[in-house]
Amino acid sequence: MKLSTRGEYGLRAMFDLAQHYGEGPIPIKSVAERQDISEHYLEQLIAVLRKAGLVKSIRGAQGGYVLSREPEEITVGDIIRVLEGPIAPVECLNTAEGESCERAETCVTRGIWEKVRDSISDVLDSFTLADMVAKANQMRQDSKYYMYYI
Amino acid sequence: MKLSTRGEYGLRAMFDLAQHYGEGPIPIKSVAERQDISEHYLEQLIAVLRKAGLVKSIRGAQGGYVLSREPEEITVGDIIRVLEGPIAPVECLNTAEGESCERAETCVTRGIWEKVRDSISDVLDSFTLADMVAKANQMRQDSKYYMYYI
DNA sequence: ATTATTACCTAGAAAACTAGTGGGGATTGG
DNA sequence: CCAATCCCCACTAGTTTTCTAGGTAATAAT
């Protein structure tokens, strides 16, 4: 029961772009370095995000990527669904209702997978990039105070 | 974002055993046929379930498998965790808190994966095999009535 | 005792997927 | 022009998944 690193890396990259939102285009190289991800691999992931309309690219020197919407308007679910495909714990959830899944009558399991899927979706859709940035800032603040105590 | 078929097949097989609970040992062959799963492959899955103590085996002719606890006392989560390993959408959740995950401070994403994991766990742990059998019986009942209407 | 039926075990093989790498081309600011 | 940057296609090594092959061991029925 695992995501591939695609979703993980992609989310970290998008979070990085959100942290630098408003600073103009951010080159992929700097994102890859900060997030410790293979630059070339990340390039492929961000291409998918671009085709899905979540980021815009600016080519040429001083180019890079920017979020195409406000961080408040991009949820974690948006990103994960693009990179990992539809959230479907088992294959039969990707087929239209009642179709192709024989033994549908006995297929009580399907109902369970639907509930799993929905609960994952709910969690993923409940966080925006802006939430993540806020949380990171708060953590930085906390650790600053922590330093004082030592 | 997908389970492998191991969890899916294993759950279907356990559900099948639950439907025949009380009828003595059920041979794997009949389970595989009813559930349309490769017999030999299912054998390997059920071996894992046996080692985990979820089913008991009776060898020899007229042998087979039986649930080692009441259907009320086996949850879907029990089965999935055995077959799919710990529920951890990303690898870093498998490591002890704060350890090994560098950039932990920036690692706001971890908190999100924790929430995803917990919500999956909650759903999986909220269903027992007995619930599934009851649901299947109810569906059968419904479709009987449906027949009358036609 | 023999036989048929069952569980149990090990070793793989084919296919799919993951996480990259390699090597270039196209665009644009300075 | 040229360096920085995005963009694209192909390939690969490794892993995982799903399944097959080919047995051995135990036991109930005869």
Side-chain angles (χ1 to χ4, degrees):
Chain A
M1 194 60 173
K2 216 160 49 171
L3 241 62
S4 66
T5 61
R6 295 174 59 101
E8 190 189 344
Y9 289 178
L11 178 56
R12 293 224 310 265
M14 290 292 278
F15 167 64
D16 194 290
L17 290 182
Q19 284 189 301
H20 296 89
Y21 191 66
E23 300 174 16
I26 309 295
I28 196 89
K29 187 176 180 184
S30 69
V31 175
E33 273 165 12
R34 277 190 297 267
Q35 297 296 326
D36 193 28
I37 300 172
S38 149
E39 181 187 340
H40 215 347
Y41 187 42
L42 184 54
E43 202 168 74
Q44 289 167 56
L45 301 183
I46 209 157
V48 178
L49 294 167
R50 179 176 55 80
K51 282 164 194 161
L54 291 178
V55 296
K56 281 182 301 192
S57 64
I58 293 93
R59 300 183 71 168
Q62 319 310 316
Y65 290 92
V66 288
L67 300 181
S68 47
R69 304 198 296 266
E70 303 283 315
E72 287 79 10
E73 290 172 357
I74 300 179
T75 70
V76 174
D78 293 334
I79 297 162
I80 298 302
R81 267 183 287 263
V82 162
L83 290 173
E84 300 272 346
I87 294 163
V90 303
E91 189 51 37
C92 80
L93 292 185
N94 285 327
T95 64
E97 186 88 21
E99 173 230 333
S100 118
C101 187
E102 277 77 26
R103 94 190 90 65
E105 183 212 334
T106 4
C107 192
V108 181
T109 53
R110 176 166 174 145
I112 295 176
W113 304 131
E114 281 169 352
K115 292 224 167 64
V116 170
R117 176 196 59 194
D118 293 346
S119 88
I120 296 173
S121 270
D122 285 351
V123 174
L124 294 181
D125 290 337
S126 73
F127 292 99
T128 68
L129 290 177
D131 295 331
M132 293 178 66
V133 171
K135 177 86 176 170
N137 289 340
Q138 184 209 316
M139 285 175 81
R140 213 183 329 274
Q141 197 69 9
D142 288 352
S143 81
K144 196 165 72 183
Y145 284 122
Y146 182 64
M147 299 286 261
Y148 279 121
Y149 277 109
I150 294 175
Chain B
M1 195 59 173
K2 216 160 48 170
L3 241 60
S4 67
T5 62
R6 304 184 95 229
E8 189 189 346
Y9 288 177
L11 178 57
R12 293 223 310 265
M14 290 292 278
F15 167 64
D16 194 289
L17 291 182
Q19 284 189 302
H20 295 89
Y21 191 67
E23 300 175 16
I26 309 295
I28 196 87
K29 187 175 180 185
S30 69
V31 175
E33 272 165 12
R34 277 189 298 267
Q35 298 296 325
D36 193 27
I37 300 173
S38 150
E39 181 188 340
H40 222 347
Y41 186 42
L42 183 54
E43 202 169 74
Q44 290 167 54
L45 301 184
I46 209 156
V48 178
L49 294 167
R50 180 176 54 81
K51 282 164 194 160
L54 291 178
V55 296
K56 281 182 302 193
S57 66
I58 293 94
R59 299 184 71 167
Q62 320 308 317
Y65 291 90
V66 288
L67 299 182
S68 46
R69 303 199 296 267
E70 302 284 314
E72 288 78 11
E73 289 170 357
I74 300 178
T75 70
V76 174
D78 293 334
I79 297 162
I80 298 301
R81 268 182 286 262
V82 162
L83 290 173
E84 301 271 348
I87 295 162
V90 302
E91 189 49 39
C92 80
L93 291 185
N94 284 327
T95 66
E97 186 88 21
E99 172 232 333
S100 118
C101 188
E102 277 77 26
R103 93 189 89 67
E105 184 211 334
T106 3
C107 192
V108 181
T109 54
R110 177 167 174 145
I112 294 177
W113 306 131
E114 281 170 352
K115 291 223 168 63
V116 170
R117 175 196 60 194
D118 293 346
S119 88
I120 296 172
S121 270
D122 286 351
V123 174
L124 294 181
D125 289 337
S126 73
F127 292 100
T128 69
L129 290 177
D131 295 331
M132 294 178 67
V133 172
K135 176 84 176 174
N137 289 338
Q138 185 210 314
M139 286 175 81
R140 214 184 328 275
Q141 196 69 9
D142 289 352
S143 81
K144 197 166 71 183
Y145 284 122
Y146 182 64
M147 299 287 261
Y148 279 121
Y149 278 111
I150 294 176

